[in-house]
Amino acid sequence: MTGKGIRIEGLKKRYGRGDTAVDALKGVDMQVAPGEVVGLVGPSGSGKSTLLKCLGAVIEPTAGRMILGDEVIYDNGWKVKDLRALRRDRIGFIFQAPYLINFLDVTDNVALLPMLAGKSNAESRKQAVELFKALDVEHRAKAMPAQLSGGEQQRVAIARGLVNRPPVILADEPTAPLDSERALAVIRILNQMARKFDTAIIVVTHDEKIMPTFKRIYHIRDGVTYEEAGEGRGFD
Amino acid sequence: MISLAGRDIMNAWGKFVFTGLGLGLLIGVTLSMAGIYRGMVDDGKALLDNSGADLWVVQKDTLGPYAEASSVYDDTWRGIHAMPGVARVANVTYLTMQVRQGDRDVRSMVTGVMAGEPGTPGWPPYLVAGRQITRGHYEAVADIATGFNLGDRLQIRRNHYTVVGLTRRMVSSGGDPIVFIPLKDAQETQFLKDNDAILQQRRRTTANPNFNRPQIPGLLEAVIALQSSNAYVNAVLVQVATGHDAEEVAQSIRRWKRLTVYTRSQMEEILIGKLIATSAKQIAMFLVILSIVSAAIVAFIIYTLTLGKIREIAVLKLIGTRNRTIAGLIMQQSIALGIIGFVVGKITATLLMAPIFPKYVLLEPLDSVIGFVAVVVICILASIFAIRAALKVDPAEAIGS
Ligand SMILES: Nc1ncnc2c1ncn2[C@@H]1O[C@H](COP(=O)(O)OP(=O)(O)OP(=O)(O)O)[C@@H](O)[C@H]1O
Ligand SMILES: [Mg+2]
């Protein structure tokens, strides 16, 4: 499993300095293989969002290493120059709230990512629509985000996270707004996508409905991770 | 790649159109202000053009006859007429006053023109109705802007005049329409005192033993006649003969007569540089203030629109949109707002505002081009605040906490 997927070693993050400093991550070790979906659970304030932000290259860790595929992206300092391109091409984000861009229609919300990566409009939209079929929102492709139900919005947001086929997807409570049937469907899709595109997927969740689907779960408490075998039911 | 700015505008077009309308009215006022200035310059030029003169001969060391008072003896023209290179010469008087017609009065510039044939300097070059003045007294040609009609009876001081002809765009440098009357009448008008003053003067003259000398019959009458007539005009207008240089002719008049002579270009400088200079500065100040107000409005609107999109901007940044693209989104919207405003402004200035202003509003295409460039520049500058706010947005905000 070495050299592929994502690996985190001794990752630390301290917010602020001096008396008010907060050590949000105190040495996180984690490894997710390509094609694998792992859960990340922990109580409030344990550092889940902080970890996702570090992995997502939107905040800078304080120390440790992060290896994405074959490339060391962080080793006590960023090793890639263009974090923007890193986020665009190699990391997919799925947020707790769907956060769609309200002035673009559903198709272009998703197609925007391949467009930003330089693909043609037609090619980008084709990719988006393909995902809509898999996510069962094809019939809403021309709608504006405000016209969708919460669950539909979330599925569009998932399509956006997947569309550039990133090697890593970071999902923060992706099933929170969905009923259990839809939630399980989303996890099924994430598992399918993970296998199909060799994507490593990290799902931050509190959702008891989907907990049994993970083969491996990382628990995080006070900024330290513990690995645990999950039930791993359902999607083999 | 799709146009993010375009999509956002389409999504919130109502906001853009209404803000654009408001901005447009402001831009319309700005364009009209510029048009008023151009109108003043054009009025001045029309005055000079319509006078038919190549040279203005005025009282020595004055900036007359338009910018300053000037008196020239009314026989001076004969001497000038005899000089080489001079084709035609005519006396002229100007007096801005209220001209009465019935129970209303109209502010006009009463111009006294010498009798002669059409083409005499000072005469209106063309009429839109009626005929030129043919009699030596009590006829008038009025600009249609006065509102007078053919056959109207005008009262200028104590005399009555019949309107026999109408002109168009004959205005003073202040934009007042011109009423032409015969020179003799005009000279009298300028000089005319009320009856009491005449009686007083006559009494004083009679009481003065130097004038009242019974041994010289007729002296007193001659003195009184002299006192109550006006032998002065405001300027002598000169047409230079073809083949002669106006400046050379002006030089020789200056040399032989103790008078100041202005050529057409010097006269234009006096009108624009001195007579309307204060108004021009006033208008320039208005333009500056209106530009600042427009900039403030655009800046405020674009800033507000941008603050309403902070979440979208965070997401855009997270998924790898360049800062340049985000800045472009905001700047394009600002420019789009400016363009809507400019189009609305141009239309309102042309169709709504210019026709209702009392003074001539000249909307020059070049001013529109300058205005357009200024609007675009102002919009670009005004978007800077919003762009700064957008660039400060942290992509981590999109992930939440
Ligand atoms: N920008 C920040 N500055 C200072 N401290 C922060 C900042 N962001 C988070 N923290 C602190 O770091 C710790 C971890 O926060 P984090 O947001 O990662 O928790 P979480 O696991 O996502 O919690 P929740 O489940 O409530 O979302 C908390 O103690 C929090 O107060
Ligand atoms: Mg969190």
Side-chain angles (χ1 to χ4, degrees):
Chain A
M1 242 200 264
T2 49
K4 289 285 176 204
I6 185 152
R7 202 164 79 234
I8 299 162
E9 295 168 357
L11 198 73
K12 294 181 179 157
K13 172 64 188 175
R14 165 175 293 187
Y15 285 112
R17 54 182 69 232
D19 290 346
T20 59
V22 177
D23 285 307
L25 300 178
K26 293 174 184 160
V28 167
D29 297 303
M30 207 173 170
Q31 181 161 20
V32 188
E36 193 184 16
V37 181
V38 302
L40 178 63
V41 297
S44 182
S46 55
K48 303 183 295 292
S49 294
T50 303
L51 180 55
L52 283 197
K53 285 176 191 172
C54 290
L55 281 171
V58 289
I59 61 173
E60 187 172 356
T62 317
R65 264 156 67 88
M66 295 194 291
I67 301 125
L68 179 60
D70 291 326
E71 194 183 351
V72 179
I73 59 167
Y74 182 87
D75 189 355
N76 294 319
W78 291 113
K79 299 294 160 194
V80 285
K81 270 192 241 112
D82 191 350
L83 295 179
R84 200 180 296 282
L86 174 74
R87 291 200 298 266
R88 184 187 67 208
D89 301 334
R90 295 164 66 189
I91 299 168
F93 294 93
I94 300 168
F95 316 116
Q96 196 161 348
Y99 285 170
L100 298 176
I101 295 175
N102 67 10
F103 55 82
L104 297 179
D105 68 18
V106 163
T107 305
D108 284 344
N109 254 284
V110 176
L112 182 62
L113 278 91
M115 286 177 194
L116 286 173
K119 292 215 171 116
S120 77
N121 291 0
E123 171 71 18
S124 303
R125 292 193 178 120
K126 212 181 103 204
Q127 284 187 15
V129 172
E130 272 167 22
L131 280 169
F132 293 157
K133 283 180 199 155
L135 288 160
D136 192 23
V137 281
E138 208 187 351
H139 58 297
R140 305 300 275 147
K142 289 277 161 278
M144 297 306 281
Q147 300 165 335
L148 302 186
S149 75
E152 286 169 336
Q153 287 186 22
Q154 187 62 333
R155 280 176 278 149
V156 174
I158 290 167
R160 181 174 64 188
L162 293 168
V163 69
N164 268 353
R165 311 280 183 252
V168 175
I169 286 179
L170 307 175
D172 194 357
E173 302 274 9
T175 59
L178 306 180
D179 61 37
S180 66
E181 197 183 323
R182 295 282 189 212
L184 289 172
V186 162
I187 295 299
R188 185 177 299 119
I189 287 160
L190 290 179
N191 275 280
Q192 283 168 2
M193 297 296 149
R195 278 199 298 273
K196 193 168 168 191
F197 302 112
D198 267 351
T199 311
I201 301 183
I202 300 172
V203 179
V204 171
T205 190
H206 286 110
D207 194 345
E208 292 298 335
K209 303 188 289 287
I210 62 170
M211 218 63 93
T213 68
F214 299 113
K215 280 187 205 145
R216 288 197 302 134
I217 295 174
Y218 282 92
H219 286 271
I220 183 165
R221 188 178 293 272
D222 290 336
V224 184
T225 43
Y226 310 91
E227 193 188 331
E228 186 188 82
E231 296 172 40
R233 285 194 263 132
F235 298 113
D236 283 315
Chain B
M1 190 60 198
I2 47 175
S3 159
L4 292 175
R7 293 303 185 85
D8 191 22
I9 292 172
M10 296 303 276
N11 190 56
W13 64 269
K15 257 184 226 169
F16 274 86
V17 168
F18 282 111
T19 315
L21 275 176
L23 184 64
L25 292 177
L26 211 57
I27 292 172
V29 173
T30 312
L31 289 175
S32 299
M33 295 301 293
I36 288 170
Y37 171 71
R38 294 292 179 199
M40 288 193 324
V41 171
D42 200 68
D43 280 349
K45 285 184 179 164
L47 175 67
L48 300 186
D49 285 339
N50 293 334
S51 72
D54 299 315
L55 299 175
W56 283 256
V57 180
V58 299
Q59 184 179 347
K60 192 157 177 57
D61 299 328
T62 68
L63 294 171
Y66 310 114
E68 280 182 9
S70 147
S71 310
V72 177
Y73 200 62
D74 68 359
D75 265 345
T76 308
W77 70 275
R78 292 176 201 279
I80 295 170
H81 191 49
M83 298 186 70
V86 174
R88 286 173 170 184
V89 187
N91 284 331
V92 71
T93 67
Y94 298 105
L95 179 64
T96 298
M97 60 179 293
Q98 299 296 123
V99 172
R100 303 190 148 279
Q101 191 262 320
D103 49 8
R104 69 189 183 116
D105 53 6
V106 178
R107 185 164 189 79
S108 318
M109 185 167 81
V110 172
T111 301
V113 291
M114 258 171 118
E117 76 275 21
T120 302
W123 277 45
Y126 62 92
L127 300 178
V128 292
R131 59 171 175 79
Q132 298 276 8
I133 296 167
T134 51
R135 282 196 249 141
H137 288 291
Y138 310 127
E139 283 187 349
V141 168
D143 190 84
I144 49 170
T146 54
F148 300 147
N149 295 312
L150 287 181
D152 277 356
R153 300 269 291 157
L154 310 182
Q155 189 184 344
I156 298 171
R157 293 281 158 86
R158 271 178 295 159
N159 295 329
H160 290 272
Y161 297 80
T162 308
V163 177
V164 297
L166 294 174
T167 62
R168 175 174 305 203
R169 279 247 357 95
M170 298 292 297
V171 287
S172 76
S173 58
D176 301 320
I178 294 182
V179 172
F180 296 90
I181 60 172
L183 186 78
K184 287 276 171 231
D185 293 348
Q187 281 178 291
E188 196 188 323
T189 301
Q190 281 198 348
F191 196 68
L192 205 61
K193 304 183 182 80
D194 61 52
N195 286 338
D196 280 351
I198 292 171
L199 286 175
Q200 290 276 356
Q201 191 179 39
R202 202 169 282 179
R203 193 173 305 138
R204 194 187 294 172
T205 309
T206 314
N208 188 331
N210 287 328
F211 297 134
N212 194 355
R213 296 183 176 177
Q215 66 272 32
I216 310 174
L219 176 66
L220 181 65
E221 287 67 30
V223 169
I224 287 171
L226 206 59
Q227 280 175 340
S228 47
S229 74
N230 173 16
Y232 290 90
V233 293
N234 298 122
V236 179
L237 303 178
V238 176
Q239 270 172 18
V240 173
T242 40
H244 287 264
D245 180 50
E247 182 51 41
E248 273 172 29
V249 177
Q251 280 297 348
S252 55
I253 300 175
R254 282 181 202 122
R255 208 173 309 125
W256 293 111
K257 309 272 170 194
R258 270 190 296 269
L259 294 164
T260 294
V261 185
Y262 294 113
T263 61
R264 162 72 208 232
S265 59
Q266 289 167 332
M267 210 63 208
E268 209 171 294
E269 251 169 56
I270 291 173
L271 277 184
I272 294 162
K274 307 221 185 319
L275 198 58
I276 63 175
T278 314
S279 309
K281 275 184 212 142
Q282 182 115 329
I283 287 172
M285 278 315 298
F286 259 116
L287 291 182
V288 169
I289 291 167
L290 287 170
S291 305
I292 292 171
V293 172
S294 309
I297 289 179
V298 174
F300 176 75
I301 294 294
I302 292 295
Y303 190 73
T304 315
L305 287 175
T306 303
L307 289 189
K309 280 197 293 279
I310 288 296
R311 211 192 60 193
E312 274 83 3
I313 289 168
V315 173
L316 284 172
K317 283 188 165 184
L318 184 71
I319 63 178
T321 311
R322 285 176 219 272
N323 279 345
R324 207 194 314 149
T325 309
I326 292 168
L329 159 77
I330 295 166
M331 194 174 285
Q332 284 165 35
Q333 291 190 335
S334 186
I335 293 172
L337 196 60
I339 290 174
I340 296 173
F342 182 82
V343 170
V344 172
K346 178 77 189 149
I347 292 172
T348 50
T350 312
L351 299 182
L352 289 179
M353 296 180 186
I356 61 168
F357 277 102
K359 276 198 187 183
Y360 183 52
V361 178
L362 178 60
L363 299 169
E364 298 245 39
L366 182 65
D367 288 346
S368 296
V369 173
I370 294 170
F372 182 75
V373 172
V375 166
V376 170
V377 169
I378 284 173
C379 286
I380 290 173
L381 295 179
S383 65
I384 286 173
F385 298 100
I387 289 173
R388 281 174 44 131
L391 295 188
K392 274 202 220 122
V393 174
D394 184 355
E397 277 175 35
I399 294 184
S401 51

